[in-house]
Amino acid sequence: MTHQPNQDDRSRLVVIKRYTMPQEAWLDADLLRSRGIECEVDGATGGGVLPFIQGQVSLIVPRAAASEAVRIVPGAAWQEED
């Protein structure tokens, strides 16, 4: 059964990496998805059209998968909150 996120789940999403180039974010997202980890790329719209907003692209994963995602994605980091 596929898990459908609800509003509470969205509050449990964390950023594990930020990018200046949206293409890099999409490659890392594909890597995570190929390993069964759900993720989102946020802020990728407009980077090619408005290059001055680059650096505002984020790779986002569910908090429950963050530790594993950080091990998979080169340069990713996440600090667990208490």
Side-chain angles (χ1 to χ4, degrees), residues 6-25:
N6 62 31
Q7 189 63 26
D8 289 335
D9 289 340
R10 290 203 52 83
S11 68
R12 295 184 182 127
L13 298 176
V14 295
V15 174
I16 62 164
K17 190 171 177 182
R18 297 193 189 278
Y19 302 83
T20 57
M21 300 294 292
Q23 299 87 339
E24 294 171 355

Side-chain angles (χ1 to χ4, degrees), residues 23-78:
Q23 299 87 339
E24 294 171 355
W26 290 116
L27 287 173
D28 285 344
D30 287 343
L31 176 62
L32 289 177
R33 290 179 184 129
S34 74
R35 305 261 173 94
I37 297 176
E38 294 182 33
C39 60
E40 297 178 18
V41 174
D42 185 45
T45 309
V49 177
L50 303 170
F52 58 85
I53 66 168
Q54 288 182 348
Q56 298 180 14
V57 179
S58 302
L59 182 58
I60 302 169
V61 299
R63 182 174 293 172
S67 295
E68 184 176 355
V70 165
R71 284 192 292 273
I72 294 169
V73 175
W78 172 69

